Amino acid sequence: MKRLLLFLGILSALASAQPYRVVDARGKAVEVRSTERIVSLDGITTEILFALGVGEKVVGRDDSSYYPPQAQKLPSVGYQFRLSAEGILSLKPTLAIGREDVRPKEVVEQLERAGVAVVLVPVTPSVEGAKAKIRTVAQAVGREEQGEALVRALERDLLALRAFQAQQKPKGKLRALFLYLRGPGTTFVCGEGSTPVGMMELAGLENAAKGIRECQPMTAESVVAARPEVIVVFSRGLASVGGLEGLLKLPGVAQTPAGQKRKVVAMDDLYLGSFGPRAGRAALDLFRAAYLREGFVEVGP
């Protein structure tokens, strides 16, 4: 028996030593020879890596990676859309992994020329996109079983969301407008194809920005024409314009039904804008904030 157990142990060790293979968001087959030093290039990928149990192998992260809290102790390589290969390579990564629209795109080629395995993760703002995201990361680090457990947990959260929505039976859908804010001079209206709007729709809200693709510069006309009954923003975005009072001073906002009733939901940026393992819980929290509470509501992770 001891010999059999030893033999099985050797087989297990050999199997775990094999490189992992994954087809990433580019449709490219990537071979990951080692996961001993991982640099994560965006917040949701970092969250998934820790949820898969490989957080101790993450040696660097981008500035959007602040969940779970222990990720903030890792050295930063900059923001996901303003990366440099030099900063990432200084951490001697064996694997760099991030969203498919990481920028600048030249960084990916530079890392690959330096011999680093690079895996790009799909960012489709939907439930199926969330599952694909989890599975891609899990395959890249050889944790497929744990990845499937995360997918099943997400599905359970979605069942709870649907059951709660059915129980509450709201009378019609609320018209919701998502505003992306980074200071009073950097304001956008987001519509179809953007992750926060995908989350709003999952939560049972109607997208008030019909005809707008992704995020477009915000104008008073576009905000008033949308006639939102609730405005949804990132918490950090709201802080950047001076809180609720600052938001109500932005062009057009006070003229909307939402502005007149101060009906605003502010949610943690990563929680609302990630479409990851916590998507079902985030949508449930947004549903509660929009349909069951009055006035201004702040929602944390």
PDB file of all heavy atoms in Angstrom, residues 207-223:
ATOM      1  N   ASN A 207     -32.040  50.223 -19.327  1.00  0.00           N
ATOM      2  CA  ASN A 207     -31.002  51.158 -19.740  1.00  0.00           C
ATOM      3  C   ASN A 207     -31.644  52.387 -20.381  1.00  0.00           C
ATOM      4  O   ASN A 207     -32.269  52.306 -21.435  1.00  0.00           O
ATOM      5  CB  ASN A 207     -30.058  50.471 -20.738  1.00  0.00           C
ATOM      6  CG  ASN A 207     -29.056  51.430 -21.351  1.00  0.00           C
ATOM      7  OD1 ASN A 207     -28.712  52.431 -20.739  1.00  0.00           O
ATOM      8  ND2 ASN A 207     -28.588  51.102 -22.543  1.00  0.00           N
ATOM      9  N   ALA A 208     -31.478  53.553 -19.751  1.00  0.00           N
ATOM     10  CA  ALA A 208     -32.085  54.788 -20.255  1.00  0.00           C
ATOM     11  C   ALA A 208     -31.287  55.409 -21.389  1.00  0.00           C
ATOM     12  O   ALA A 208     -31.772  56.314 -22.059  1.00  0.00           O
ATOM     13  CB  ALA A 208     -32.233  55.802 -19.113  1.00  0.00           C
ATOM     14  N   ALA A 209     -30.070  54.917 -21.597  1.00  0.00           N
ATOM     15  CA  ALA A 209     -29.205  55.505 -22.634  1.00  0.00           C
ATOM     16  C   ALA A 209     -29.291  54.683 -23.914  1.00  0.00           C
ATOM     17  O   ALA A 209     -28.274  54.222 -24.436  1.00  0.00           O
ATOM     18  CB  ALA A 209     -27.769  55.586 -22.131  1.00  0.00           C
ATOM     19  N   LYS A 210     -30.494  54.526 -24.420  1.00  0.00           N
ATOM     20  CA  LYS A 210     -30.668  53.770 -25.658  1.00  0.00           C
ATOM     21  C   LYS A 210     -29.953  54.508 -26.808  1.00  0.00           C
ATOM     22  O   LYS A 210     -29.983  55.734 -26.894  1.00  0.00           O
ATOM     23  CB  LYS A 210     -32.154  53.646 -25.996  1.00  0.00           C
ATOM     24  CG  LYS A 210     -32.976  52.899 -24.948  1.00  0.00           C
ATOM     25  CD  LYS A 210     -32.657  51.417 -24.914  1.00  0.00           C
ATOM     26  CE  LYS A 210     -33.611  50.676 -23.974  1.00  0.00           C
ATOM     27  NZ  LYS A 210     -33.241  49.274 -23.781  1.00  0.00           N
ATOM     28  N   GLY A 211     -29.340  53.725 -27.666  1.00  0.00           N
ATOM     29  CA  GLY A 211     -28.669  54.335 -28.812  1.00  0.00           C
ATOM     30  C   GLY A 211     -27.248  54.754 -28.554  1.00  0.00           C
ATOM     31  O   GLY A 211     -26.550  55.160 -29.476  1.00  0.00           O
ATOM     32  N   ILE A 212     -26.826  54.676 -27.295  1.00  0.00           N
ATOM     33  CA  ILE A 212     -25.447  55.026 -26.967  1.00  0.00           C
ATOM     34  C   ILE A 212     -24.651  53.748 -26.807  1.00  0.00           C
ATOM     35  O   ILE A 212     -25.052  52.845 -26.076  1.00  0.00           O
ATOM     36  CB  ILE A 212     -25.370  55.874 -25.684  1.00  0.00           C
ATOM     37  CG1 ILE A 212     -25.974  57.256 -25.950  1.00  0.00           C
ATOM     38  CG2 ILE A 212     -23.923  56.001 -25.189  1.00  0.00           C
ATOM     39  CD1 ILE A 212     -25.961  58.170 -24.746  1.00  0.00           C
ATOM     40  N   ARG A 213     -23.538  53.661 -27.515  1.00  0.00           N
ATOM     41  CA  ARG A 213     -22.675  52.489 -27.470  1.00  0.00           C
ATOM     42  C   ARG A 213     -21.475  52.805 -26.588  1.00  0.00           C
ATOM     43  O   ARG A 213     -20.858  53.869 -26.729  1.00  0.00           O
ATOM     44  CB  ARG A 213     -22.218  52.134 -28.884  1.00  0.00           C
ATOM     45  CG  ARG A 213     -21.305  50.910 -28.981  1.00  0.00           C
ATOM     46  CD  ARG A 213     -22.078  49.628 -28.751  1.00  0.00           C
ATOM     47  NE  ARG A 213     -21.160  48.485 -28.706  1.00  0.00           N
ATOM     48  CZ  ARG A 213     -21.519  47.272 -28.325  1.00  0.00           C
ATOM     49  NH1 ARG A 213     -22.768  47.037 -27.975  1.00  0.00           N
ATOM     50  NH2 ARG A 213     -20.657  46.285 -28.271  1.00  0.00           N
ATOM     51  N   GLU A 214     -21.177  51.881 -25.671  1.00  0.00           N
ATOM     52  CA  GLU A 214     -20.067  52.093 -24.726  1.00  0.00           C
ATOM     53  C   GLU A 214     -20.273  53.410 -23.975  1.00  0.00           C
ATOM     54  O   GLU A 214     -21.395  53.688 -23.581  1.00  0.00           O
ATOM     55  CB  GLU A 214     -18.717  52.045 -25.449  1.00  0.00           C
ATOM     56  CG  GLU A 214     -18.415  50.716 -26.127  1.00  0.00           C
ATOM     57  CD  GLU A 214     -18.120  49.593 -25.130  1.00  0.00           C
ATOM     58  OE1 GLU A 214     -17.979  49.874 -23.936  1.00  0.00           O
ATOM     59  OE2 GLU A 214     -18.071  48.422 -25.571  1.00  0.00           O
ATOM     60  N   CYS A 215     -19.231  54.215 -23.825  1.00  0.00           N
ATOM     61  CA  CYS A 215     -19.346  55.465 -23.065  1.00  0.00           C
ATOM     62  C   CYS A 215     -19.029  56.658 -23.968  1.00  0.00           C
ATOM     63  O   CYS A 215     -18.011  56.668 -24.666  1.00  0.00           O
ATOM     64  CB  CYS A 215     -18.391  55.449 -21.871  1.00  0.00           C
ATOM     65  SG  CYS A 215     -18.769  54.139 -20.668  1.00  0.00           S
ATOM     66  N   GLN A 216     -19.916  57.641 -23.945  1.00  0.00           N
ATOM     67  CA  GLN A 216     -19.774  58.837 -24.776  1.00  0.00           C
ATOM     68  C   GLN A 216     -19.761  60.070 -23.875  1.00  0.00           C
ATOM     69  O   GLN A 216     -20.328  60.051 -22.785  1.00  0.00           O
ATOM     70  CB  GLN A 216     -20.938  58.942 -25.770  1.00  0.00           C
ATOM     71  CG  GLN A 216     -21.097  57.720 -26.674  1.00  0.00           C
ATOM     72  CD  GLN A 216     -19.930  57.538 -27.620  1.00  0.00           C
ATOM     73  OE1 GLN A 216     -19.274  58.517 -28.012  1.00  0.00           O
ATOM     74  NE2 GLN A 216     -19.633  56.289 -27.972  1.00  0.00           N
ATOM     75  N   PRO A 217     -19.092  61.150 -24.329  1.00  0.00           N
ATOM     76  CA  PRO A 217     -19.066  62.376 -23.507  1.00  0.00           C
ATOM     77  C   PRO A 217     -20.476  62.808 -23.098  1.00  0.00           C
ATOM     78  O   PRO A 217     -21.402  62.799 -23.899  1.00  0.00           O
ATOM     79  CB  PRO A 217     -18.403  63.397 -24.437  1.00  0.00           C
ATOM     80  CG  PRO A 217     -17.526  62.565 -25.328  1.00  0.00           C
ATOM     81  CD  PRO A 217     -18.295  61.291 -25.563  1.00  0.00           C
ATOM     82  N   MET A 218     -20.595  63.182 -21.854  1.00  0.00           N
ATOM     83  CA  MET A 218     -21.893  63.549 -21.281  1.00  0.00           C
ATOM     84  C   MET A 218     -22.259  64.987 -21.660  1.00  0.00           C
ATOM     85  O   MET A 218     -21.438  65.889 -21.558  1.00  0.00           O
ATOM     86  CB  MET A 218     -21.798  63.416 -19.757  1.00  0.00           C
ATOM     87  CG  MET A 218     -22.976  63.933 -18.985  1.00  0.00           C
ATOM     88  SD  MET A 218     -22.677  63.701 -17.202  1.00  0.00           S
ATOM     89  CE  MET A 218     -23.861  64.877 -16.525  1.00  0.00           C
ATOM     90  N   THR A 219     -23.478  65.178 -22.111  1.00  0.00           N
ATOM     91  CA  THR A 219     -24.003  66.519 -22.364  1.00  0.00           C
ATOM     92  C   THR A 219     -25.311  66.679 -21.605  1.00  0.00           C
ATOM     93  O   THR A 219     -25.972  65.677 -21.272  1.00  0.00           O
ATOM     94  CB  THR A 219     -24.273  66.754 -23.863  1.00  0.00           C
ATOM     95  OG1 THR A 219     -25.322  65.852 -24.277  1.00  0.00           O
ATOM     96  CG2 THR A 219     -23.018  66.500 -24.702  1.00  0.00           C
ATOM     97  N   ALA A 220     -25.680  67.905 -21.355  1.00  0.00           N
ATOM     98  CA  ALA A 220     -26.956  68.144 -20.659  1.00  0.00           C
ATOM     99  C   ALA A 220     -28.106  67.559 -21.460  1.00  0.00           C
ATOM    100  O   ALA A 220     -29.043  66.973 -20.894  1.00  0.00           O
ATOM    101  CB  ALA A 220     -27.148  69.645 -20.457  1.00  0.00           C
ATOM    102  N   GLU A 221     -28.022  67.684 -22.797  1.00  0.00           N
ATOM    103  CA  GLU A 221     -29.102  67.191 -23.648  1.00  0.00           C
ATOM    104  C   GLU A 221     -29.260  65.666 -23.525  1.00  0.00           C
ATOM    105  O   GLU A 221     -30.378  65.153 -23.444  1.00  0.00           O
ATOM    106  CB  GLU A 221     -28.831  67.564 -25.113  1.00  0.00           C
ATOM    107  CG  GLU A 221     -28.926  69.061 -25.407  1.00  0.00           C
ATOM    108  CD  GLU A 221     -27.713  69.829 -24.905  1.00  0.00           C
ATOM    109  OE1 GLU A 221     -26.676  69.192 -24.590  1.00  0.00           O
ATOM    110  OE2 GLU A 221     -27.805  71.065 -24.812  1.00  0.00           O
ATOM    111  N   SER A 222     -28.126  64.953 -23.524  1.00  0.00           N
ATOM    112  CA  SER A 222     -28.200  63.489 -23.460  1.00  0.00           C
ATOM    113  C   SER A 222     -28.747  63.020 -22.117  1.00  0.00           C
ATOM    114  O   SER A 222     -29.482  62.030 -22.042  1.00  0.00           O
ATOM    115  CB  SER A 222     -26.824  62.867 -23.712  1.00  0.00           C
ATOM    116  OG  SER A 222     -25.893  63.242 -22.701  1.00  0.00           O
ATOM    117  N   VAL A 223     -28.411  63.732 -21.059  1.00  0.00           N
ATOM    118  CA  VAL A 223     -28.890  63.344 -19.727  1.00  0.00           C
ATOM    119  C   VAL A 223     -30.388  63.624 -19.590  1.00  0.00           C
ATOM    120  O   VAL A 223     -31.151  62.768 -19.133  1.00  0.00           O
ATOM    121  CB  VAL A 223     -28.099  64.100 -18.634  1.00  0.00           C
ATOM    122  CG1 VAL A 223     -28.721  63.841 -17.254  1.00  0.00           C
ATOM    123  CG2 VAL A 223     -26.643  63.669 -18.644  1.00  0.00           C
TER     124      VAL A 223
END
